[in-house]
Amino acid sequence: MSQYNFGFLDEFAKKEIRRCTIKAVAIPGYQVPYSSREMPMGRGFGTGGLQLTLSLIGENDTLKVIDQGSDDSVNAINLRDFIEMTCPGINTTTSTDKADIIQSRHRIPEKELKEEQLIVLQVPYPDPLVIVEPSEEKRKQMHGEGDYSRLLVKLYEDLIKYKEITISHRYPTRINDGYVIDPSPIPRWDVPKMHQSKALILLGAGREKKIYAVPPYTDAKPLAFDDVPFRVEDFCDKRGKRRACSKCGSVSSFLDEFVDSTNGKTVYQCSDSDYCAEYCAAQSKQPFEESIDG
Amino acid sequence: MTHHIEPIDSPCVLRVQGYAKQFVLHEQSKIIPSSQHVELSVYQGQLTALIGPTGSGKSSVLKGIYRTYLPSDGRVLYRSKNGYEIDLAKADEHHILQLRNDEISFVTQFLHVLPRKPSEFLVAQPLIKRGTSMSEAIDKARDMLARLNLPEHLWCLSPTNFSGGEKQRVNLARSLVAKPRLLLLDEPTSSLDPTTTNVVVKELKKLKDYGVAMLAIFHDPALVEEMAEHIVELQIPQSIEQLQEKTQA
Amino acid sequence: MDKVLEVKNLSKVYGKGCADCFGLTGPQADTNICPSCGSVVAAHDVSFDLYKGEILGIMGESGSGKSTSVKCLFFDEEPTSGSAVFYDDGKQYNLFTLNAAQQRQLSSRRFGMVYQNPYLGLNFDISAGGNIAERLLMSSISHFGAIRERASSLLQRAEVPTARIDALPKTFSGGMQQRVQIAKALSTYPPLLFLDEVTTGLDLSVQAAILDLIMEIQQEIETAMIVVTHDLGVIRLLAGRTLVMKYGRVIESGLTDQVLEDPQHAYTQRLVASAL
C-alpha cells in the first residue's frame, strides 16, 4: 500500500472535503455538494462516510466503525480494515467511549457522545424532500425558502391513514430552525440524540455527492404538529410492558427483532453491541442466552 | 316635446341632453339608428314617462342611461346622492357599477339571475350588497313579495321556472325593496293582471312619496295618465339614408 | 373603493421575438404568429384594474391569450414585458420585479387559482383534506387539529361531503374535484382569486352549482376575482366588467351587460351573435 497516500485520498481531495465539511458546519443542515471520489468499493457501501473519515482522521486517532449498531458485521469490518490499511498509525476500537471518530451506518450509539468525539454517518439519500419532489432544482428552491409544507402533508396523510406517523427511519429533522435534513437511516429512537449533541455529527452521501452537518450544541427538531408531538419507538409488548434485551436485560436501548430459526420465536436484542456488552459487564454477568419472550 | 303636467318644484335627478344611439353592425356593414335627439329630465319624487310608437327607441334610452348601451351622442347628467353631477355616458365603469349598486335601479322585462337561488334571496340581494343584515333583508324581501301577491310557496324557489307575471313580480320586488334614488322601469306591469297591476301602481306611488325619481315606459296609456308628472314623446329615428338626404338637400 | 390589482401593458411572447412581432400580429393581422420570426404573441398590451370584491371576466376563444394573461399574474408564466401592482393590506407589490421566493410566497398565501384541469390545481396522490392542508401548512399553521377543522369547514363550504375529506381526489366526480380546488384556493382567504375556465366541461347543473358557490364566496369574503372563460353565460352571471381578447389583444372592454348587449367590435358582435 506504500504507493497510496495516507488515507487513500490525495491531499487535494482531502482538502476539498475538509473545506466542504467546514461549510457544512457553518450552515447547519445545508447539503454542501462535493466532488465525491471514486473509492475502491461500490457507491452505496458507505463511500460518503468513508471519505469524510479518511479526510479527517490522523495518526494516533482512534476509530470505531459500526453498521446497524454492530462492530462485527461484514460491512463494518471491511470498512475498518480498509481505513486501518490506508491510514497506518491509527488505532481502532469497538468501545464508544474510547473512539475519537465513529463511522456509522443506521445508528447513533446509545451512550451519549462527548465534545471531543465526532460521528460520521453514511447517508444513502441526503434530501428529505426527495419523497415529495422529484426535481432537484425545485427541491433546492424549497430548502431555500424553508418550504417544508409538503413533508408536513406527508405526516398529515400518515395521521389520517394510520392514526400515527409511520416514518420509522430517515425522520425529517429541522436543524437550527433552518434546513430540514434526512438524518440518514437512523431510527426515530436516535433522532433526539442529535438535538444539542455534544459531539459534531457529520453526514456524507457518496453517491449523491453531499456533505451536511449537525454542529455541536445545535437544535435538531423532528418535524411534527403542535398537537401531535414526535415520539420514539416504545418497544412495549401487548400488555404495555417495555421489552428488555434478551442478552443484557436492558430496558432502555434500541432493540432489534429476530426470529429464532430453531423455535420460531421472536427475540429482542440490543442493536448497539458495545452498549450491550458494557451493560452485561456492569451487571458482571454473562450475557444470558435464553430468549425472553415473543 | 316634454309636457309638464305639474310645475317643477322638485330637484332634478337626471337630465338627458341630445341623447342619440345608433348600432354599428360591422358584419352587415350597417348603421341602425335607435334613438335621436332625446331630451328629458327626471325629478325627485316624480315620474317621467317615455311614450312613442314602437321603434322610437324608448327601451334604448333606458338602457343608455343604465349604460347597458353605450350612448352614441349626448349627455346623461345624473346628480348623485352626494350632490355631484356626473355624465353617465362617459363615467368610469367602476363608478357606474357603484351607482348601480347604491343609487340606480333598472326593472327590465327580463330577469337575469343566478340559477338555484330562492326568489326571496334574489329580492334581498340588493339590500345585502349594501350591508343590510341577511335576516333583515330577507324579512323586507318577503314583505315586498307578499305585497306584490307572489304566492308564499314560491318564495323559496328559484324564479327560473316561474311564469312571466311571477318573474316580473320578483324583478319588481328587487328594485322596490332597494328604494333606489333613480328607478328605471321598462314596462313593469306588462305581464300582470289588473289586480296585481293596481298593487304595483300603489307601491310605485309609495316610492314616489319616499322621493324616488322614476323614468318609465308603460304599455298602457292609462298608467301614464295615472302615474306620470312628465311625459316625453319619442319619434321614430330617421335612417342614415334619410339623414344623408337631408344633409344633401 | 380599494384597488387590488393594476395591470399595465402586459405582454407575453413565446419565441425569440423581433421588432416586427407586435406590428404584424393581432386582430388586424388575423394571427398571433409573427410572420417575420415565427414567435407567438400570446398577449400584448393587456391593461386593466381590479377592485376589492369585483369580478372581472376575460372572454375569448382558445388562443386569445386570456389564460396566458392570468398565468403571468399567478407566476405560472413569466411575462415578456409589462407591470402588475398588487395592493394588499396597505402594501404594494410590483409582481414582476419580485424574486421567485417572494412570488411563491404571494401565490401560496394571497392568491388563489382554480384551473380548468383539476390535475394542475390538486395533488392527486394525497387526500382532499391533505390538499387543503398543504396550503395551510405553507402559511405556517402547524396544529393538526386546527388544520383538520379548517379543511373540513372549507370542504363543507364548498359543498363537498365532509365524510370524504380523507378520500383521494381521483375518486371524485369532475364537479367535486373543482369544489375541492375551490376549497383549497380559498383556504387562506386570499384577496385575489383566479378562475380559469372552471366550469368548462362540467354538466350544466354542476356548472350552476359551482357558479353559485363562487358568487356566495365573493359576497362573503369580498375576494376580487378574474374569471377566464369562453362561456358568455358564465360571464353574464359572474362578471361586472369584461375584457374581450383576440389574438393576444384586448379588443373590447366594458360593463358586462354592455359588452353583451351593445358590443362595439366586429369580433365581439360575431361572438355574441353566435352564442347559443
Side-chain angles (χ1 to χ4, degrees):
Chain A
M1 293 303 292
S2 57
Q3 64 267 47
Y4 283 106
N5 191 31
F6 179 89
F8 184 75
L9 298 166
D10 62 77
E11 290 304 314
F12 291 107
K14 286 193 203 167
K15 215 175 195 175
E16 194 238 347
I17 295 170
R18 288 180 197 136
R19 266 204 305 268
C20 292
T21 305
I22 290 169
K23 182 169 177 182
V25 173
I27 316 171
Y30 176 68
Q31 300 168 48
V32 183
Y34 78 110
S35 55
S36 179
R37 297 307 199 275
E38 286 296 337
M39 300 303 287
M41 65 188 71
R43 287 192 165 152
F45 282 81
T47 56
L50 182 63
Q51 290 176 74
L52 276 170
T53 301
L54 292 172
S55 71
L56 296 167
I57 201 164
E59 280 173 43
N60 305 321
D61 278 338
T62 304
L63 172 74
K64 171 181 164 77
V65 181
I66 44 174
D67 183 352
Q68 307 248 31
S70 162
D71 296 83
D72 302 327
S73 72
V74 179
N75 245 310
I77 290 171
N78 282 339
L79 283 168
R80 189 167 55 233
D81 285 353
F82 179 78
I83 299 167
E84 268 191 295
M85 183 170 69
T86 55
C87 305
I90 65 156
N91 307 308
T92 60
T93 181
T94 59
S95 158
T96 302
D97 264 344
K98 290 180 186 137
D100 298 311
I101 298 178
I102 301 165
Q103 179 170 335
S104 170
R105 170 173 174 262
H106 282 209
R107 284 303 316 275
I108 294 174
E110 300 291 357
K111 196 165 225 179
E112 190 186 14
L113 300 179
K114 294 169 289 191
E115 279 181 359
E116 59 272 23
Q117 293 181 303
L118 88 82
I119 180 163
V120 171
L121 290 169
Q122 301 164 205
V123 181
Y125 306 106
D127 198 335
L129 289 171
V130 78
I131 53 165
V132 293
E133 176 54 61
S135 149
E136 180 165 13
E137 192 190 340
K138 283 198 187 136
R139 292 202 299 268
K140 280 187 172 172
Q141 275 174 6
M142 290 161 83
H143 279 298
E145 289 163 23
D147 175 10
Y148 298 110
S149 53
R150 282 156 73 186
L151 281 178
L152 287 161
V153 171
K154 178 90 179 44
L155 305 188
Y156 169 95
E157 291 285 297
D158 263 12
L159 282 171
I160 62 163
K161 266 188 238 157
Y162 311 110
K163 308 278 177 240
E164 63 173 333
I165 294 166
T166 56
I167 302 170
S168 59
H169 291 78
R170 299 173 56 198
Y171 196 100
T173 304
R174 196 156 202 166
I175 307 305
N176 201 28
D177 286 326
Y179 294 105
V180 170
I181 63 161
D182 181 327
S184 92
I186 57 171
R188 289 213 299 261
W189 181 265
D190 287 344
V191 170
K193 292 178 189 159
M194 298 196 299
H195 182 65
Q196 293 292 329
S197 158
K198 287 177 185 155
L200 168 63
I201 302 167
L202 294 175
L203 302 100
R207 186 180 45 211
E208 305 292 328
K209 302 185 175 68
K210 296 281 163 50
I211 290 171
Y212 50 108
V214 183
Y217 299 105
T218 301
D219 282 356
K221 294 180 193 153
L223 287 190
F225 293 103
D226 298 347
D227 51 338
V228 186
F230 170 84
R231 54 177 195 83
V232 297
E233 296 84 347
D234 62 8
F235 297 110
C236 287
D237 61 19
K238 282 171 200 139
R239 284 160 295 175
K241 187 169 176 286
R242 175 58 151 93
R243 295 182 205 277
C245 170
S246 60
K247 262 189 166 166
C248 69
S250 167
V251 290
S252 51
S253 67
F254 183 82
L255 298 175
D256 282 340
E257 200 178 293
F258 304 97
V259 177
D260 188 325
S261 54
T262 54
N263 57 16
K265 274 191 172 173
T266 309
V267 183
Y268 293 89
Q269 217 172 70
C270 285
S271 139
D272 185 338
S273 55
D274 176 56
Y275 171 87
C276 194
E278 234 180 69
Y279 198 85
C280 285
Q283 294 169 84
S284 59
K285 64 179 181 188
Q286 292 300 307
F288 44 88
E289 294 298 325
E290 292 295 306
S291 69
I292 288 193
D293 150 67
Chain B
M1 266 180 293
T2 307
H3 315 276
H4 293 297
I5 297 169
E6 279 179 22
I8 302 163
D9 53 0
S10 220
C12 182
V13 173
L14 181 76
R15 282 185 299 151
V16 174
Q17 300 173 334
Y19 173 87
K21 174 63 190 168
Q22 58 194 27
F23 293 97
V24 180
L25 302 181
H26 298 280
E27 199 90 320
Q28 296 84 354
S29 313
K30 265 190 184 159
I31 296 176
I32 313 283
S34 152
S35 306
Q36 280 162 3
H37 316 299
V38 179
E39 306 280 333
L40 63 86
S41 295
V42 187
Y43 302 90
Q44 192 177 317
Q46 298 182 357
L47 188 143
T48 301
L50 282 174
I51 60 168
T54 310
S56 59
K58 301 187 291 290
S59 292
S60 158
V61 172
L62 293 189
K63 286 186 176 179
I65 294 166
Y66 199 63
R67 266 283 286 278
T68 297
Y69 288 168
L70 269 182
S72 307
D73 204 356
R75 300 203 292 173
V76 180
L77 300 170
Y78 173 73
R79 188 163 296 280
S80 82
K81 190 164 54 189
N82 300 331
Y84 62 83
E85 195 170 56
I86 178 172
D87 184 354
L88 298 179
K90 296 197 171 62
D92 167 79
E93 288 150 11
H94 285 112
H95 208 141
I96 298 281
L97 286 174
Q98 193 195 327
L99 287 174
R100 285 180 179 185
N101 197 39
D102 298 341
E103 303 191 24
I104 304 175
S105 186
F106 190 6
V107 182
T108 62
Q109 297 171 56
F110 305 99
L111 184 62
H112 288 298
V113 289
L114 276 177
R116 281 210 325 172
K117 288 286 177 200
S119 300
E120 60 186 24
F121 175 81
L122 292 169
V123 174
Q125 208 174 20
L127 291 176
I128 295 165
K129 275 190 184 169
R130 288 191 211 165
T132 312
S133 78
M134 177 69 91
S135 60
E136 192 189 337
I138 292 281
D139 281 349
K140 285 188 171 163
R142 287 178 182 163
D143 181 53
M144 183 54 75
L145 287 170
R147 276 191 272 165
L148 295 181
N149 295 332
L150 190 79
E152 194 173 337
H153 65 272
L154 296 179
W155 297 355
C156 57
L157 299 179
S158 164
T160 326
N161 300 319
F162 285 9
S163 72
E166 286 159 353
K167 273 187 190 166
Q168 194 157 40
R169 274 173 278 173
V170 173
N171 218 356
L172 264 167
R174 265 165 81 84
S175 286
L176 295 178
V177 107
K179 290 194 178 131
R181 213 173 119 72
L182 173 64
L183 178 58
L184 309 172
L185 297 151
D186 191 353
E187 303 208 10
T189 58
S190 59
S191 328
L192 302 181
D193 59 53
T195 326
T196 315
T197 300
N198 286 337
V199 176
V200 170
V201 165
K202 211 173 81 195
E203 290 301 327
L204 289 176
K205 280 182 176 162
K206 266 197 223 165
L207 276 194
K208 258 206 287 190
D209 292 343
Y210 182 77
V212 176
M214 299 185 204
L215 178 61
I217 303 166
F218 291 112
H219 65 296
D220 180 358
L223 282 177
V224 176
E225 193 71 20
E226 187 179 352
M227 297 292 296
E229 280 82 10
H230 317 277
I231 296 171
V232 176
E233 189 174 354
L234 302 180
Q235 307 294 330
I236 291 177
Q238 290 177 302
S239 70
I240 299 301
E241 294 76 22
Q242 287 170 310
L243 282 172
Q244 278 165 349
E245 275 168 36
K246 210 189 266 176
T247 43
Q248 278 159 13
Chain C
M1 270 193 303
D2 305 328
K3 199 183 273 187
V4 173
L5 186 67
E6 184 181 284
V7 178
K8 277 195 182 138
N9 312 109
L10 175 66
S11 297
K12 172 70 185 171
V13 179
Y14 293 98
K16 57 183 164 57
C18 68
D20 294 332
C21 272
F22 297 139
L24 299 178
T25 60
Q28 258 89 42
D30 206 29
T31 181
N32 59 1
I33 300 169
C34 174
S36 333
C37 71
S39 299
V40 176
V41 180
H44 178 54
D45 222 5
V46 177
S47 301
F48 61 85
D49 290 343
L50 186 71
Y51 286 81
K52 186 179 178 188
E54 183 186 15
I55 302 184
L56 175 75
I58 304 184
M59 183 167 98
E61 294 164 327
S62 314
S64 61
K66 54 193 192 316
S67 288
T68 300
S69 307
V70 162
K71 280 178 182 153
C72 286
L73 296 171
F74 194 64
F75 311 120
D76 279 349
E77 298 277 356
E78 202 178 322
T80 309
S81 60
S83 74
V85 180
F86 172 57
Y87 300 84
D88 184 29
D89 230 359
K91 288 197 231 23
Q92 287 185 26
Y93 301 90
N94 206 326
L95 294 185
F96 305 141
T97 61
L98 297 176
N99 67 35
Q102 293 167 319
Q103 291 184 343
R104 276 188 289 275
Q105 180 97 349
L106 274 186
S107 62
S108 65
R109 296 178 193 197
R110 306 304 288 157
F111 298 169
M113 175 72 140
V114 183
Y115 296 91
Q116 175 182 0
N117 182 347
Y119 275 88
L120 292 174
L122 295 177
N123 184 338
F124 272 61
D125 296 328
I126 58 177
S127 65
N131 268 286
I132 295 169
E134 183 178 341
R135 224 171 121 87
L136 295 175
L137 287 163
M138 275 187 224
S139 312
S140 316
I141 299 171
S142 54
H143 190 280
F144 178 77
I147 287 168
R148 197 100 181 115
E149 209 167 285
R150 182 98 155 256
S152 172
S153 78
L154 284 160
L155 287 173
Q156 193 172 12
R157 181 66 201 81
E159 295 173 35
V160 176
T162 48
R164 304 205 55 194
I165 184 169
D166 297 332
L168 294 177
K170 68 174 174 222
T171 65
F172 287 38
S173 68
M176 206 68 97
Q177 286 169 354
Q178 289 309 59
R179 291 170 179 285
V180 176
Q181 261 207 97
I182 291 171
K184 179 179 183 176
L186 289 174
S187 57
T188 55
Y189 302 116
L192 179 55
L193 184 64
F194 301 105
L195 302 159
D196 190 0
E197 299 274 12
V198 281
T199 56
T200 307
L202 298 176
D203 290 342
L204 284 177
S205 61
V206 179
Q207 275 193 25
I210 298 272
L211 297 180
D212 203 17
L213 173 65
I214 292 166
M215 289 294 275
E216 283 173 15
I217 287 158
Q218 186 238 359
Q219 266 170 23
E220 275 166 36
I221 59 176
E222 289 202 287
T223 299
M225 303 187 193
I226 298 180
V227 177
V228 168
T229 181
H230 65 270
D231 186 331
L232 303 192
V234 169
I235 288 278
R236 183 188 282 281
L237 284 175
L238 291 183
R241 289 186 310 129
T242 294
L243 307 181
V244 184
M245 290 190 72
K246 185 177 165 70
Y247 289 131
R249 312 305 204 268
V250 175
I251 52 164
E252 177 158 1
S253 74
L255 297 163
T256 299
D257 53 333
Q258 181 254 300
V259 170
L260 295 179
E261 293 197 33
D262 184 16
Q264 305 294 303
H265 195 281
Y267 171 73
T268 320
Q269 290 181 356
R270 205 161 61 235
L271 204 66
V272 171
S274 46
L276 295 173

